[in-house]
Amino acid sequence: MKDIFNPVYRQEYLDGYSNGLNPHLNIIDNKNEAFIMGFNQGRSNYEGMNGKVAHGIPQLIVTNKVLEDFLLAGMLGMSINADGYNAFQIDVIQKWYQSGVEKYDANQSAYLLSILEENGIELI
């Protein structure tokens, strides 16, 4: 990586990264090194959660936010619905959910549920 403190380089890298996260986009010719490096990193992160783009684009896209939701569900002992995710994604989701289950504390979950009920928030 060149000068990451250069605002122009950083912006090109981030533009490439965001394009790489979009499975519908391909790398654009005639882009600079920062864009290409960002694109490759973004695509690598996307494929790490959703599988290779060459194998098809899944119905639902897994993001860090989705994984954090599954982690939280595991921590609270909640059941999950993985409908619409492919086998690769379910493997990734399962690791995050299992990590949450390992941190599950029934006392904390009951305490949280009581606070939510007191505030009129119902979980389905």
Side-chain angles (χ1 to χ4, degrees):
M1 201 179 284
K2 297 268 184 188
D3 185 9
I4 60 171
F5 298 109
N6 179 328
V8 174
Y9 183 91
R10 185 173 47 249
Q11 186 59 49
E12 285 293 319
Y13 178 88
L14 293 173
D15 289 345
Y17 184 85
S18 64
N19 279 307
L21 287 174
N22 185 341
H24 299 285
L25 297 177
N26 292 319
I27 192 138
I28 302 168
D29 292 335
N30 301 326
K31 286 293 185 175
N32 62 27
E33 178 187 0
F35 184 92
I36 293 169
M37 289 183 73
F39 182 91
N40 290 335
Q41 184 62 46
R43 184 55 50 94
S44 176
N45 288 350
Y46 168 85
E47 290 180 343
M49 292 183 275
N50 295 287
K52 297 279 185 194
V53 173
H55 298 151
I57 299 171
Q59 177 183 355
L60 298 173
I61 303 295
V62 173
T63 62
N64 286 331
K65 172 72 172 108
V66 169
L67 293 174
E68 289 168 1
D69 289 346
F70 281 107
L71 175 73
L72 182 60
M75 291 173 72
L76 297 175
M78 300 170 65
S79 61
I80 60 171
N81 181 3
D83 292 343
Y85 294 103
N86 66 30
F88 183 91
Q89 292 171 312
I90 290 173
D91 286 343
V92 173
I93 289 168
Q94 183 179 12
K95 290 175 187 169
W96 280 72
Y97 182 76
Q98 184 61 38
S99 178
V101 168
E102 292 168 359
K103 298 173 186 170
Y104 174 69
D105 180 355
N107 293 331
Q108 286 181 347
S109 182
Y111 179 68
L112 175 62
L113 290 174
S114 68
I115 290 174
L116 292 174
E117 286 177 8
E118 287 175 12
N119 290 300
I121 301 170
E122 295 182 29
L123 295 177
I124 53 173

